[in-house]
Protein backbone atom coordinates (compact mmCIF):
# COMPACT_ATOMS: atom_id res chain seq x y z
CA UNK A 1 0.00 0.00 0.00
CA UNK A 2 1.20 3.50 -0.81
CA UNK A 3 2.40 5.06 2.46
CA UNK A 4 1.43 8.35 4.01
CA UNK A 5 3.87 11.20 3.53
CA UNK A 6 5.60 11.48 6.93
CA UNK A 7 9.35 11.50 6.39
CA UNK A 8 8.78 10.88 2.69
CA UNK A 9 8.10 14.61 2.43
CA UNK A 10 11.88 14.97 2.61
CA UNK A 11 12.00 13.53 -0.89
CA UNK A 12 10.70 16.82 -2.26
CA UNK A 13 13.96 18.55 -1.32
CA UNK A 14 14.58 19.13 -5.03
CA UNK A 15 11.21 20.75 -5.62
CA UNK A 16 11.63 24.07 -3.85
CA UNK A 17 13.28 27.42 -4.47
CA UNK A 18 16.75 25.92 -4.02
CA UNK A 19 16.33 23.76 -7.14
CA UNK A 20 14.46 25.71 -9.80
CA UNK A 21 16.53 24.26 -12.64
CA UNK A 22 15.77 20.73 -11.52
CA UNK A 23 12.05 21.47 -11.28
CA UNK A 24 12.13 22.90 -14.80
CA UNK A 25 13.99 19.78 -15.93
CA UNK A 26 11.15 17.64 -14.59
CA UNK A 27 8.51 19.78 -16.26
CA UNK A 28 10.27 19.80 -19.62
CA UNK A 29 10.65 16.01 -19.56
CA UNK A 30 7.04 15.33 -18.62
CA UNK A 31 5.13 18.06 -20.51
CA UNK A 32 5.40 16.61 -24.05
CA UNK A 33 3.56 13.50 -22.87
CA UNK A 34 0.64 15.22 -21.10
CA UNK A 35 -2.73 15.49 -22.85
CA UNK A 36 -5.81 17.51 -21.93
CA UNK A 37 -6.85 15.66 -18.75
CA UNK A 38 -4.40 14.62 -16.06
CA UNK A 39 -4.40 12.66 -12.82
CA UNK A 40 -1.35 13.24 -10.65
CA UNK A 41 -0.47 10.64 -8.02
CA UNK A 42 1.24 11.92 -4.89
CA UNK A 43 0.58 15.60 -5.57
CA UNK A 44 1.95 16.81 -2.24
CA UNK A 45 1.13 20.52 -1.99
CA UNK A 46 0.25 20.80 -5.69
CA UNK A 47 3.16 22.84 -7.04
CA UNK A 48 4.02 20.46 -9.87
CA UNK A 49 0.46 19.83 -11.02
CA UNK A 50 -0.33 23.54 -11.00
CA UNK A 51 2.30 24.17 -13.65
CA UNK A 52 0.25 22.14 -16.16
CA UNK A 53 -3.02 24.04 -15.67
CA UNK A 54 -2.67 26.30 -18.74
CA UNK A 55 -2.67 23.24 -21.02
CA UNK A 56 -5.35 21.19 -19.26
CA UNK A 57 -9.12 21.01 -19.52
CA UNK A 58 -9.32 18.87 -16.39
CA UNK A 59 -6.96 18.14 -13.50
CA UNK A 60 -7.26 15.57 -10.74
CA UNK A 61 -4.74 15.84 -7.90
CA UNK A 62 -4.37 13.19 -5.23
CA UNK A 63 -2.41 12.13 -2.20
CA UNK A 64 -2.58 9.54 0.56
CA UNK A 65 -1.46 11.90 3.30
CA UNK A 66 -4.37 13.76 5.02
CA UNK A 67 -2.34 16.93 5.49
CA UNK A 68 -1.44 17.09 1.80
CA UNK A 69 -5.04 16.48 0.78
CA UNK A 70 -6.19 19.31 3.07
CA UNK A 71 -3.62 21.67 1.55
CA UNK A 72 -4.60 20.64 -1.98
CA UNK A 73 -8.25 21.43 -1.26
CA UNK A 74 -7.26 24.86 0.05
CA UNK A 75 -4.98 25.52 -2.91
CA UNK A 76 -7.58 24.64 -5.54
CA UNK A 77 -10.76 25.72 -3.80
CA UNK A 78 -13.38 27.14 -6.14
CA UNK A 79 -11.95 25.42 -9.23
CA UNK A 80 -14.65 23.34 -10.92
CA UNK A 81 -12.10 21.89 -13.32
CA UNK A 82 -9.95 20.44 -10.51
CA UNK A 83 -10.81 17.46 -8.31
CA UNK A 84 -8.92 16.49 -5.14
CA UNK A 85 -8.85 12.81 -4.13
CA UNK A 86 -7.39 10.87 -1.22
CA UNK A 87 -6.33 7.26 -1.76
CA UNK A 88 -3.36 4.93 -1.63
CA UNK A 89 -2.30 2.52 -4.35
CA UNK A 90 -3.17 -0.14 -5.29
CA UNK A 91 -6.93 0.50 -5.09
CA UNK A 92 -10.04 1.17 -7.12
CA UNK A 93 -9.50 4.88 -7.72
CA UNK A 94 -12.65 6.94 -6.94
CA UNK A 95 -12.62 8.94 -10.15
CA UNK A 96 -15.54 9.61 -12.49
CA UNK A 97 -14.50 10.16 -16.09
CA UNK A 98 -11.23 8.58 -17.18
CA UNK A 99 -8.20 10.75 -17.93
CA UNK A 100 -5.82 10.64 -20.88
CA UNK A 101 -2.68 11.10 -18.74
CA UNK A 102 -1.49 9.90 -15.35
CA UNK A 103 1.67 11.42 -13.86
CA UNK A 104 3.50 9.87 -10.91
CA UNK A 105 6.71 11.56 -9.80
CA UNK A 106 8.75 9.61 -7.23
CA UNK A 107 5.81 7.47 -6.10
CA UNK A 108 6.08 3.96 -7.53
CA UNK A 109 9.30 3.19 -5.62
CA UNK A 110 7.34 3.48 -2.34
CA UNK A 111 4.84 0.75 -3.25
CA UNK A 112 5.58 -2.94 -2.78
CA UNK A 113 2.68 -3.97 -5.03
CA UNK A 114 3.97 -1.86 -7.92
CA UNK A 115 2.42 -3.99 -10.67
CA UNK A 116 -1.02 -3.80 -9.04
CA UNK A 117 -0.57 -0.05 -8.55
CA UNK A 118 -0.03 0.41 -12.29
CA UNK A 119 -3.04 -1.77 -13.04
CA UNK A 120 -5.12 0.51 -10.80
CA UNK A 121 -3.96 3.49 -12.83
CA UNK A 122 -4.59 1.78 -16.15
CA UNK A 123 -8.24 1.24 -15.19
CA UNK A 124 -8.81 5.01 -14.96
CA UNK A 125 -6.86 5.90 -18.10
CA UNK A 126 -8.48 5.95 -21.54
CA UNK A 127 -7.27 3.38 -24.08
CA UNK A 128 -4.22 4.84 -25.75
CA UNK A 129 -3.63 7.13 -22.77
CA UNK A 130 -0.27 7.53 -21.06
CA UNK A 131 1.12 6.84 -17.61
CA UNK A 132 4.24 8.92 -16.99
CA UNK A 133 6.58 7.39 -14.41
CA UNK A 134 9.56 9.10 -12.75
CA UNK A 135 11.47 6.91 -10.29
CA UNK A 136 14.90 6.88 -8.61
CA UNK A 137 17.38 4.73 -10.47
CA UNK A 138 19.80 1.93 -9.62
CA UNK A 139 20.18 0.05 -6.36
CA UNK A 140 23.87 1.00 -6.33
CA UNK A 141 22.62 4.43 -5.22
CA UNK A 142 20.34 3.05 -2.49
CA UNK A 143 21.33 4.39 0.93
CA UNK A 144 20.15 5.87 4.21
CA UNK A 145 18.14 8.56 2.44
CA UNK A 146 16.14 5.93 0.54
CA UNK A 147 15.40 4.05 3.75
CA UNK A 148 14.43 7.27 5.53
CA UNK A 149 11.87 8.26 2.90
CA UNK A 150 10.46 4.76 2.54
CA UNK A 151 11.81 3.58 -0.81
CA UNK A 152 11.11 -0.10 -1.42
CA UNK A 153 13.51 -0.11 -4.35
CA UNK A 154 15.35 1.91 -6.96
CA UNK A 155 14.66 0.85 -10.54
CA UNK A 156 16.75 0.13 -13.60
CA UNK A 157 15.29 0.33 -17.10
CA UNK A 158 15.14 -3.48 -17.09
CA UNK A 159 13.30 -3.81 -13.77
CA UNK A 160 10.90 -0.99 -14.62
CA UNK A 161 10.23 -2.54 -18.04
CA UNK A 162 9.35 -5.81 -16.31
CA UNK A 163 6.97 -4.07 -13.89
CA UNK A 164 5.26 -2.06 -16.62
CA UNK A 165 4.91 -5.10 -18.90
CA UNK A 166 3.46 -7.26 -16.12
CA UNK A 167 0.82 -4.55 -15.61
CA UNK A 168 -0.24 -5.03 -19.24
CA UNK A 169 1.06 -1.69 -20.47
CA UNK A 170 3.02 -0.82 -23.59
CA UNK A 171 6.15 1.36 -23.46
CA UNK A 172 6.71 4.52 -25.50
CA UNK A 173 9.76 5.85 -23.64
CA UNK A 174 12.08 4.15 -21.16
CA UNK A 175 15.53 5.49 -20.32
CA UNK A 176 17.89 6.52 -17.53
CA UNK A 177 18.33 10.27 -17.16
CA UNK A 178 20.37 12.70 -15.05
CA UNK A 179 23.70 10.91 -15.55
CA UNK A 180 25.82 13.51 -13.76
CA UNK A 181 23.25 13.67 -10.96
CA UNK A 182 23.68 9.94 -10.46
CA UNK A 183 27.42 10.36 -10.04
CA UNK A 184 26.94 13.29 -7.66
CA UNK A 185 24.37 11.33 -5.66
CA UNK A 186 26.70 8.35 -5.34
CA UNK A 187 29.57 10.58 -4.21
CA UNK A 188 27.55 12.59 -1.67
CA UNK A 189 24.99 10.13 -0.33
CA UNK A 190 26.55 6.73 -0.81
CA UNK A 191 30.30 7.26 -0.80
CA UNK A 192 30.11 10.32 1.42
CA UNK A 193 27.72 8.70 3.88
CA UNK A 194 25.32 11.64 3.93
CA UNK A 195 21.86 10.62 5.15
CA UNK A 196 20.12 13.65 3.68
CA UNK A 197 21.33 16.07 0.98
CA UNK A 198 22.68 19.35 2.34
CA UNK A 199 20.51 22.26 1.04
CA UNK A 200 23.68 24.20 0.27
CA UNK A 201 24.94 21.39 -1.93
CA UNK A 202 21.50 21.12 -3.54
CA UNK A 203 21.81 24.76 -4.65
CA UNK A 204 25.24 24.15 -6.13
CA UNK A 205 23.99 20.97 -7.80
CA UNK A 206 21.05 22.85 -9.28
CA UNK A 207 23.18 25.67 -10.68
CA UNK A 208 25.94 23.50 -12.14
CA UNK A 209 25.13 19.81 -12.52
CA UNK A 210 21.56 20.12 -13.80
CA UNK A 211 22.36 22.49 -16.72
CA UNK A 212 25.41 20.39 -17.66
CA UNK A 213 23.36 17.20 -17.57
CA UNK A 214 20.64 18.69 -19.75
CA UNK A 215 23.20 19.84 -22.30
CA UNK A 216 24.96 16.46 -22.47
CA UNK A 217 21.70 14.51 -22.72
CA UNK A 218 20.70 16.51 -25.80
CA UNK A 219 23.42 14.63 -27.68
CA UNK A 220 24.16 11.45 -25.72
CA UNK A 221 21.86 8.79 -24.30
CA UNK A 222 23.37 8.04 -20.87
CA UNK A 223 23.95 4.42 -19.82
CA UNK A 224 23.09 5.23 -16.21
CA UNK A 225 21.34 7.94 -14.21
CA UNK A 226 19.95 9.12 -10.93
CA UNK A 227 16.44 8.68 -12.38
CA UNK A 228 14.65 6.27 -14.69
CA UNK A 229 11.98 7.89 -16.86
CA UNK A 230 9.17 5.92 -18.49
CA UNK A 231 6.12 6.75 -20.54
CA UNK A 232 3.79 3.76 -20.56
CA UNK A 233 0.68 3.48 -22.71
CA UNK A 234 -2.63 1.78 -22.04
CA UNK A 235 -3.36 -0.58 -24.97
CA UNK A 236 -6.24 0.42 -27.26
Amino acid sequence: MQPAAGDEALENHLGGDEAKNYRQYELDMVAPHVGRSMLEIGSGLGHFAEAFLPRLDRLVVSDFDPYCVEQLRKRFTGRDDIDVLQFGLPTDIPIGEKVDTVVMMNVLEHIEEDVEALRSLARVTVPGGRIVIWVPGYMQLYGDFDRKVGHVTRYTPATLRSTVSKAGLDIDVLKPINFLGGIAWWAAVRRGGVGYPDPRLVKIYDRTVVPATRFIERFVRPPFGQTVFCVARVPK
Side-chain angles (χ1 to χ4, degrees):
M1 175 64 72
Q2 179 184 344
D7 283 344
E8 293 89 273
L10 295 174
E11 192 172 6
N12 293 324
H13 68 283
L14 287 178
D17 292 338
E18 73 276 17
K20 293 180 179 179
N21 287 327
Y22 185 81
R23 177 59 74 192
Q24 190 63 50
Y25 180 35
E26 291 180 313
L27 288 169
D28 291 343
M29 288 293 298
V30 172
H33 308 286
V34 174
R36 302 300 304 180
S37 59
M38 184 179 100
L39 163 64
E40 186 185 30
I41 306 299
S43 299
L45 302 182
H47 297 92
F48 190 70
E50 190 173 56
F52 292 93
L53 282 176
R55 63 186 296 148
L56 295 173
D57 297 324
R58 177 176 171 235
L59 171 65
V60 183
V61 291
S62 69
D63 211 287
F64 187 63
D65 183 79
Y67 173 78
C68 291
V69 172
E70 179 185 2
Q71 296 306 307
L72 288 168
R73 287 174 177 154
K74 290 179 180 178
R75 187 183 195 97
F76 298 118
T77 186
R79 294 290 301 261
D80 294 335
D81 56 336
I82 303 176
D83 294 322
V84 179
L85 302 178
Q86 181 177 2
F87 61 85
L89 292 170
T91 190
D92 290 326
I93 299 173
I95 194 173
E97 185 179 352
K98 293 184 177 183
V99 296
D100 60 39
T101 311
V102 175
V103 173
M104 54 190 325
M105 306 293 290
N106 295 314
V107 174
L108 193 64
E109 68 274 12
H110 293 276
I111 306 172
E112 291 187 11
E113 309 98 324
D114 52 0
V115 173
E116 288 303 317
L118 291 177
R119 288 173 178 163
S120 295
L121 298 176
R123 289 195 292 269
V124 298
T125 307
V126 298
R130 295 164 174 166
I131 300 176
V132 180
I133 305 166
W134 182 290
V135 290
Y138 298 89
M139 285 301 289
Q140 294 93 325
L141 301 181
Y142 193 99
D144 289 341
F145 175 79
D146 296 275
R147 284 184 284 272
K148 184 178 293 185
V149 300
H151 288 176
V152 175
T153 189
R154 297 180 72 101
Y155 289 88
T156 66
T159 58
L160 188 55
R161 179 183 295 277
S162 175
T163 297
V164 169
S165 298
K166 287 177 182 177
L169 302 171
D170 299 326
I171 295 175
D172 285 354
V173 179
L174 177 60
K175 59 184 179 180
I177 59 173
N178 198 5
F179 174 69
L180 294 181
I183 296 173
W185 185 269
W186 178 83
V189 178
R190 288 286 286 152
R191 187 72 173 178
V194 177
Y196 179 70
D198 187 326
R200 295 169 297 178
L201 295 179
V202 169
K203 290 182 180 180
I204 296 172
Y205 164 85
D206 189 63
R207 294 171 183 171
T208 59
V209 176
V210 174
T213 293
R214 297 196 65 173
F215 178 78
I216 292 171
E217 291 180 1
R218 288 171 55 192
F219 306 101
V220 178
R221 183 186 178 99
F224 166 84
Q226 184 183 8
T227 298
V228 178
F229 179 68
C230 177
V231 180
R233 187 178 293 273
V234 177
K236 294 183 178 180

